[in-house]
Amino acid sequence: MGLLDDKIVLVNGGTQGVGAAIARAAVRAGAVVAVTGRRPEPGEALVAELTAAGGKALYVRADLSDAEQAKASVARVVEAYGRVDCLVNSAGLTSRGTLLDTTPELFDQHIAINLKGPFFAMQAAVADMVAREAPGTVVNIITSSAHGGQPFLAPYVAAKAGLIGLTRNAAHAHRWDRVRINGLNIGWTATEGEDATQRVFHGAGDDWREVAAARLPMGKLGQPDEIAEFVVFLLSERSGVVTGSVIDWDQNVLGGLD
């Protein structure tokens, strides 16, 4: 039996990168999966891939920076499958900005995608769980940079640090509803989005992954499939009663100094 047999799992921001890896892992674990994203092409391609492999999947077009679309994505899954058992918030914006050069517009974009979207998706999903008096799980993909991060990540860090607080607050509020809510602070990860970010903002060449890996303790960047397997564990009953935990999934140790 799979860890998520017969569970309905919604992965927001699930059409590429870590989100797509989580969708694949959830299907392998027995779940019916819905993924959201702004662009239909990768979303429909992923659903076709999962379906061809024998899974059940649905693509929902949604811009998670819009609170109404975030809530509507949950409603669409409930309409299609009758419920949402598990929610993963993996959509994220990593565009650069420092304290001194971040515009109000850039700040608002980060808050909208990295904090407001997860807030209202959680609101809708947890409301469904509570209304059915059924247990459920939520995992928020956050970032190890939320502990402080680089100077050029100021609005990103502000929004993701807010998501850490939200994760713990919501977990505390709904523990008696048997809704478990946890977060994962992932480190530097090899994704399509990170590739674009390195090229656009840092002038990186084709070998940037190899160069980066050589500077890291484990000799590699974080891998989406490894993160995905851990998320499946957190979504499943195998993670027991754990709730309100924000786990550092990284190879750098907070507070450690050389």
Side-chain angles (χ1 to χ4, degrees):
M1 293 180 63
L3 289 179
L4 298 177
D5 275 348
D6 301 321
K7 297 296 186 184
I8 309 299
V9 178
L10 170 58
V11 184
N12 279 326
T15 61
Q16 66 175 18
V18 171
I22 293 168
R24 293 184 181 102
V27 166
R28 290 195 301 270
V32 175
V33 173
V35 296
T36 69
R38 290 177 293 181
R39 296 183 296 126
E41 294 80 7
E44 291 168 356
L46 178 61
V47 166
E49 172 197 327
L50 297 174
T51 302
K56 294 182 179 179
L58 171 72
Y59 166 65
V60 179
R61 187 174 186 177
D63 180 349
L64 275 299
S65 67
D66 183 324
E68 293 305 316
Q69 291 188 49
K71 292 189 290 184
S73 69
V74 176
R76 175 70 183 90
V77 176
V78 173
E79 177 187 21
Y81 299 117
R83 66 187 193 277
V84 173
D85 299 308
C86 309
L87 170 67
V88 179
N89 284 308
S90 64
L93 176 69
T94 59
S95 53
R96 294 348 195 185
T98 70
L99 178 65
L100 299 183
D101 64 21
T102 294
T103 64
E105 292 76 18
L106 178 61
F107 182 85
D108 288 346
Q109 289 171 11
H110 276 274
I111 294 296
I113 295 174
N114 294 323
L115 181 56
K116 186 169 74 173
F119 185 106
F120 286 101
M122 288 170 60
Q123 181 187 81
V126 173
D128 172 69
M129 297 166 189
V130 170
R132 291 184 291 108
E133 298 184 342
T137 50
V138 177
V139 173
N140 291 319
I141 304 301
I142 312 177
T143 174
S144 57
S145 293
H147 293 301
Q150 297 94 325
F152 54 75
L153 293 178
Y156 177 67
V157 169
K160 288 291 194 177
L163 186 53
I164 288 178
L166 172 61
T167 298
R168 291 176 173 146
N169 178 272
H172 176 74
H174 292 285
R175 68 199 192 283
W176 289 102
D177 297 312
R178 294 180 297 154
V179 176
R180 298 189 299 109
I181 303 171
N182 295 292
L184 205 59
N185 281 337
I186 63 173
W188 202 0
T189 304
T191 64
E192 303 99 312
E194 182 61 19
D195 181 68
T197 295
Q198 290 298 318
R199 293 175 188 275
V200 171
F201 293 102
H202 302 287
D206 293 340
D207 64 344
W208 74 266
R209 291 180 183 83
E210 291 76 16
V211 172
R215 305 202 310 263
L216 294 172
M218 306 301 168
K220 65 177 183 178
L221 291 139
Q223 300 300 305
D225 60 330
E226 295 171 352
I227 294 168
E229 295 293 340
F230 194 75
V231 170
V232 165
F233 172 77
L234 287 175
L235 292 174
S236 77
E237 294 178 4
R238 287 289 297 277
S239 55
V241 298
V242 173
T243 193
S245 291
V246 180
I247 301 163
D248 287 337
W249 199 97
D250 198 6
Q251 54 194 298
N252 293 310
V253 179
L254 181 66
L257 299 173
D258 292 323

